[in-house]
């Protein structure tokens, strides 16, 4: 019997960092539909998307308790050819999606410290390269290191939001939470928000 290297806290933080990474990207949704519809969407989406996926993953992981995940599941259901394609599609998706995160990170850093000025190309390349090298270095040490880093990255990314919520909790305008937006709702913008 193989020994599991993750405890429940590291597993939850690793899953959260892999799936969401933090409450980023909702600015566009609030701008497109307002607070009311964004909050309604955040309450509905887990029930129609996340919970069924979690239940499917739990069922398949229990039925096939082996390392391999969705690649193994596709292999058992559809054969090696589709499993091979699934693995490479996942690899390509990870490569292209992974390239977006350094850019997003640099954009947030620029908003915080840029004083309204664009970072130079060299600075953007330097910050992005440093981030990629750091992540590669962490990944070289295995799952335990990645899980620990995910825990600290998640705490660091959520801490400002928790602080802002705590500071502003007493001044929440509950009337604004129930009002429709003044401009027409841009449903395309709501549904395409990451």
């Amino acid at each position: 019997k193989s020994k599991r290297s993750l405890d429940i806290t590291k597993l939850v933080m690793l899953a959260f960092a892999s799936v969401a990474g933090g409450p980023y990207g909702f600015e566009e949704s609030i701008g497109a539909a307002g607070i009311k519809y964004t909050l309604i969407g955040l309450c509905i989406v887990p029930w129609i998307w996340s919970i069924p996926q979690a239940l499917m993953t739990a069922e398949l992981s229990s039925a096939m308790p082996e390392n391999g995940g969705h690649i193994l599941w596709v292999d058992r259901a559809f054969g090696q050819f589709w499993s091979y394609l699934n693995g490479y599609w996942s690899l390509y998706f990870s490569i292209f999606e992974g390239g977006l995160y350094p850019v997003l990170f640099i954009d947030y850093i620029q908003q915080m410290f840029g004083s309204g000025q664009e970072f130079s190309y060299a600075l953007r390349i330097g910050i992005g390269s440093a981030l990629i090298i750091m992540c590669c270095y962490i990944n070289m040490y295995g799952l335990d290191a990645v899980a620990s880093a995910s825990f600290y990255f998640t705490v660091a990314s959520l801490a400002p939001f928790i602080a802002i919520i705590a500071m502003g909790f007493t001044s929440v305008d509950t009337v604004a939470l129930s009002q429709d937006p003044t401009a027409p709702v841009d449903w395309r913008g709501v549904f395409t928000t990451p």
Side-chain angles (χ1 to χ4, degrees), residues 52-74:
Q53 277 203 334
L55 292 173
M56 175 200 69
T57 303
E59 182 178 352
L60 288 169
S61 296
S62 298
M64 295 176 245
E66 302 173 44
N67 293 331
H70 61 90
I71 295 170
L72 178 65
W73 305 336
V74 171

Side-chain angles (χ1 to χ4, degrees), residues 61-148:
S61 296
S62 298
M64 295 176 245
E66 302 173 44
N67 293 331
H70 61 90
I71 295 170
L72 178 65
W73 305 336
V74 171
D75 183 59
R76 295 269 176 92
F78 302 110
Q80 288 184 340
F81 174 75
W82 291 106
S83 177
Y84 175 82
L85 287 180
N86 180 31
Y88 273 96
W89 289 336
S90 297
L91 173 67
Y92 294 140
F93 174 77
S94 296
I95 290 169
F96 289 114
E97 185 192 32
L100 298 174
Y101 294 119
V103 175
L104 184 63
F105 177 76
I106 293 167
D107 287 345
Y108 276 113
I109 293 292
Q110 181 175 306
Q111 286 177 4
M112 288 174 54
F113 302 112
S115 304
Q117 298 177 14
E118 289 282 323
F119 283 171
S120 70
Y121 182 74
L123 182 60
R124 292 180 72 87
I125 293 294
I127 293 171
S129 298
L131 179 66
I132 291 168
I133 290 168
M134 181 185 70
C135 290
C136 288
Y137 184 76
I138 292 168
N139 274 290
M140 288 183 347
Y141 284 95
L143 185 60
D144 241 6
V146 171
S148 296

Side-chain angles (χ1 to χ4, degrees), residues 4 15 19 29 53 70 77 87 116 119 146 170 174 176 180-181 187 193:
R4 302 287 181 184
V19 173
S29 181
Q53 277 203 334
H70 61 90
F119 283 171
V146 171
T170 58
T174 55
D180 288 332
W187 292 110
T193 299

Side-chain angles (χ1 to χ4, degrees), residues 35-49:
I35 297 170
K36 175 183 172 182
Y37 292 123
T38 301
L39 289 175
I40 290 171
L42 287 173
C43 292
I44 291 173
V45 166
W47 292 98
I48 62 173
W49 181 260

Side-chain angles (χ1 to χ4, degrees), residues 10-34:
K10 287 182 179 179
L11 180 63
V12 168
M13 291 298 188
L14 181 62
F16 179 78
S18 297
V19 173
Y24 300 100
F26 292 110
E27 300 91 349
E28 291 85 5
S29 181
I30 292 172

